């Protein structure tokens, strides 16, 4: 059954289509800003005007969904620009809804791009711990801030909010916040199984969100993101998030964690997504630049395999290029 292309196509079990792709975009303040992210060829920090132009081009190539990350004007201890109605994300959402009305706009809900310490929640006050204690993130004090951020995004017109902070109870806090503010129809895509690993480095360049090195500030996110060694725990995280009101769940990173995607797919009936993260993207780009692999084919195969493992959709920095290839459109 493998002898001809027609036969192979007839019995093919999985397809990758532009509809399965979500394109992450990075919004910065200003105008006419287009700054290349060095560790991610083809990815840019863009001001809202340029971001709209990219989204438009992506849409024409077949990309129907984007997810937005924001880099604020200034950062502070609580990440207050995260929930400002005139912050960079609400402005980007409003512009996209105006200029590319049929595009699905998701927003990442997290504080790490907005806090001056780079953590995904606010830090415990020093009085909270004894001498020599690692203070870390204050889970419960962070929840209302995430809810405010999600509401600000919804008010601007976001179609889906996607919390990536990994605080316990945040899906429920966000759901209640959205409902109370009059946005019962805005679904939540939960980064339910997000692993603390080494694959996010290039993203932290792009989002300027690496934890700072300072006394009392944890140097990593291991106290809230998951241990890469754990799979059963990922299923518990997903069950909790669904119980709290998550409409869709995500596994992140993608390829090293496809066993988790498969287990979630088999166990739960909500849409499951995989985030092919910055480090995974950068590895393919780097090897392709050296001529060691065929980057385009490896990218297509990688994303197809995410689908085969059970992902309904995939967040990928290659979305526009892949969509253009799949639709046969010129880039
Ligand atoms: C914010 C967030 C991160 C990513 C998405 N949302 C980084 C992190 O946890 O430090 C990573 C995406 C990527 O690496 O492509 N919490």
């Amino acid at each position: 059954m493998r002898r001809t292309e027609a036969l192979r196509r007839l019995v093919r079990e999985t397809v990758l289509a532009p509809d399965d792709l979500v394109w992450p975009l990075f919004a910065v303040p200003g105008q006419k800003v287009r700054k290349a992210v060095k560790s991610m060829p083809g990815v840019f920090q863009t001001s809202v005007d340029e971001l709209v132009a990219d989204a438009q081009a992506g849409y024409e190539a077949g990309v129907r969904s984007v997810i937005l990350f924001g880099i604020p004007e200034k950062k502070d201890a609580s990440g207050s620009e995260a929930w400002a109605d005139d912050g960079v994300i609400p402005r980007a959402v409003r512009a996209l809804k105006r200029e590319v009305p049929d595009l699905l706009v998701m927003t990442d809900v997290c504080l790490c791009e907005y806090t001056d310490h780079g953590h995904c929640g606010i830090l415990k006050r020093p009085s909270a711990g004894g001498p020599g204690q690692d203070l870390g993130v204050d889970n419960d004090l962070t929840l209302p801030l995430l809810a405010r951020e999600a509401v600000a995004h919804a008010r601007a017109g976001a179609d889906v909010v996607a919390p990536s902070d990994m605080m316990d109870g945040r899906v429920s806090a966000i759901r209640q916040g959205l409902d109370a503010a009059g946005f019962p129809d805005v679904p939540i895509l939960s980064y339910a199984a997000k692993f603390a690993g080494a694959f996010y480095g290039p993203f932290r360049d792009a989002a300027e969100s690496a934890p700072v090195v300072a006394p009392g500030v944890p140097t990593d996110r291991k106290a809230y993101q998951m241990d890469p060694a754990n799979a059963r725990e990922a299923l518990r995280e997903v069950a909790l998030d669904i119980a709290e009101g998550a409409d869709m769940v995500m596994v992140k990173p993608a390829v090293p964690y496809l066993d988790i995607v498969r287990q979630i797919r088999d166990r739960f009936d909500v849409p499951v997504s995989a985030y092919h993260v910055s480090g995974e993207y950068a590895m393919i780009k780097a090897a392709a630049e050296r001529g060691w692999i065929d980057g385009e084919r490896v990218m297509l195969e990688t994303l197809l395999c995410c689908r085969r493992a059970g992902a309904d959709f995939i967040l990928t920095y290659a979305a526009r290029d892949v969509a253009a290839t799949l639709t046969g459109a010129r880039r």
Side-chain angles (χ1 to χ4, degrees), residues 110 112 164 194 200 203-204 221 225 252 277-278 317:
C110 192
C112 64
S164 68
K194 176 173 177 182
Y200 307 143
F203 173 92
R204 291 176 190 173
R221 307 200 198 289
Q225 297 180 354
K252 178 184 171 193
V277 302
S278 58
Y317 300 98

Side-chain angles (χ1 to χ4, degrees), residues 8 10 12 19 55 101 109 125 136-137 151 189 207 216 277 290 316:
R8 288 190 293 270
L10 181 71
R12 188 159 292 154
D19 285 343
V109 173
R125 267 172 284 122
V137 164
V151 169
L189 164 60
V277 302
R290 291 191 170 203
T316 169

Side-chain angles (χ1 to χ4, degrees), residues 7 29 41-42 61 65 71 79 86 128 153 164 173 178 183 187 214 223 227 253 260 291 303 319:
L7 197 41
S65 308
I71 294 106
D86 60 350
H153 294 177
S164 68
L178 289 172
F183 301 105
D227 185 335
I260 313 272
L303 300 175

